[in-house]
Amino acid sequence: MTLWHLVILLGLSLSLLLALAWLVAMRSGQSGWIDAVWSFAVGAGAVAAALVPLSGDEGLSERQWLVAGLAAVWALRLGGYIAGRTKGAGDDPRYAYLRDSWGAAFPARLFWFLQIQAAAALLLVLTVLLAARNPAPGLGALDWLGVVVFAVALGGAAVADRQLARFRADPGNRGKVCDRGLWRLSRHPNYFFEWLGWLAYLPIAIDAGGGYPWGYLAAIGPLFMYWLLVHVSGVPPLEAHMLRSRGAAFRDYQERVNVFWPAWPGSGTKNERQAS
């Protein structure tokens, strides 16, 4: 199989899997399954991008196995968490807002919206491909730097999710805004650590000897993920929902805490605290 054949196959597979996510959401009425399917689809695509043999390959390298393992761990943690949260829950507030806004056109518009997400997923999968196919021999310092960054990202995201779940489980916090632990440092620490996880592939993709200039293109993944989370499908719809449901309490939270980059309360710039 050539590289281009693999890229085309990955694109078609992601498109089909997001079409399946649309069908599940329509049948179940629980749009949270979309993000679970998306996570597993990206993970499966990333593992395939790392491990599928290409024409001229002489076997799988240590780096390919390492990158595939990182992608699989990420998908299992995030997809499993979202699936557990969605099971038995109502509609995701972000998609519920789209349902109200789009009205009768919601099913058709959601289908094409998810196909755009499939294209976005392909960009992330290509980031993994670039890291896995770095031809530099053996694993070096940059590879292990990527592993350390990934571990920090994975652990931080798990802690943020656990802190939020614990806060929500307390009946005394009904109607309040979680501003404890990591949520005291960033309004969206889960998004920050999600972005950091994609940054981990950049050092793995770079050949310190300069023999693999394509590796620098792996910066596309974290750059694109930042744009997606902060300006498109992450922060804006979620903060709009929080303003509707929490009102003054969330506006006060916005004034005190950075939107994305972790910082001690009050130490961020005014623009950073208010950006959404």
Side-chain angles (χ1 to χ4, degrees), residues 5-60:
H5 287 149
L6 176 59
V7 171
I8 292 170
L9 181 60
L10 289 170
L12 291 174
S13 298
L14 289 167
S15 176
L16 289 173
L17 288 170
L18 267 295
L20 174 63
W22 173 83
L23 182 61
V24 170
M26 290 295 98
R27 293 288 181 87
S28 68
Q30 294 176 291
S31 55
W33 291 115
I34 291 172
D35 291 342
V37 173
W38 185 88
S39 301
F40 290 129
V42 173
V47 170
L51 298 182
V52 169
L54 299 179
S55 303
D57 282 354
E58 298 180 356
L60 298 175

Side-chain angles (χ1 to χ4, degrees), residues 108-166:
R109 292 187 66 174
L110 180 64
F111 178 86
W112 292 113
F113 178 74
L114 295 186
Q115 290 304 300
I116 294 172
Q117 289 200 30
L122 181 61
L123 279 179
L124 298 176
V125 167
L126 292 179
T127 297
V128 175
L129 184 149
L130 288 165
R133 308 288 170 165
N134 179 353
L139 297 178
L142 288 175
D143 297 289
W144 297 118
L145 173 61
V147 171
V148 170
V149 172
F150 182 87
V152 171
L154 191 73
V159 169
D161 288 340
R162 190 159 53 245
Q163 289 174 342
L164 182 60
R166 189 183 304 123

Side-chain angles (χ1 to χ4, degrees), residues 60-261:
L60 298 175
S61 69
E62 292 177 314
R63 185 171 292 106
Q64 285 176 267
W65 284 113
L66 172 66
V67 170
L70 296 181
V73 168
W74 168 83
L76 290 172
R77 192 215 71 86
L78 182 61
Y81 170 77
I82 296 174
R85 184 185 66 187
T86 301
K87 187 178 180 181
D91 207 10
D92 184 292
R94 294 171 302 154
Y95 291 103
Y97 177 73
L98 294 179
R99 185 188 298 274
D100 292 340
S101 301
W102 291 344
F106 175 74
R109 292 187 66 174
L110 180 64
F111 178 86
W112 292 113
F113 178 74
L114 295 186
Q115 290 304 300
I116 294 172
Q117 289 200 30
L122 181 61
L123 279 179
L124 298 176
V125 167
L126 292 179
T127 297
V128 175
L129 184 149
L130 288 165
R133 308 288 170 165
N134 179 353
L139 297 178
L142 288 175
D143 297 289
W144 297 118
L145 173 61
V147 171
V148 170
V149 172
F150 182 87
V152 171
L154 191 73
V159 169
D161 288 340
R162 190 159 53 245
Q163 289 174 342
L164 182 60
R166 189 183 304 123
F167 179 87
R168 288 175 170 172
D170 184 350
N173 292 326
R174 186 178 299 277
K176 297 180 181 179
V177 177
C178 179
D179 60 355
R180 303 173 185 176
L182 294 173
W183 299 85
R184 188 167 177 259
L185 308 180
S186 166
R187 300 205 298 269
H188 303 278
N190 51 343
Y191 288 165
F192 169 77
F193 287 111
E194 172 69 15
W195 167 82
L196 188 65
W198 288 98
L199 184 65
Y201 293 104
L202 180 57
I204 298 175
I206 293 174
D207 179 1
Y212 184 55
W214 291 104
Y216 290 96
L217 289 178
I220 292 173
L223 288 173
F224 179 71
M225 181 56 74
Y226 176 84
W227 175 75
L228 199 65
L229 291 174
V230 177
H231 297 292
V232 184
S233 63
V235 170
L238 183 55
E239 296 225 332
H241 165 73
M242 292 299 292
L243 284 170
R244 290 192 300 271
S245 62
R246 299 293 187 271
F250 191 73
R251 280 191 291 272
D252 175 67
Y253 184 54
Q254 287 179 311
E255 286 294 321
R256 293 184 288 109
V257 179
N258 276 5
V259 61
F260 185 77
W261 305 106

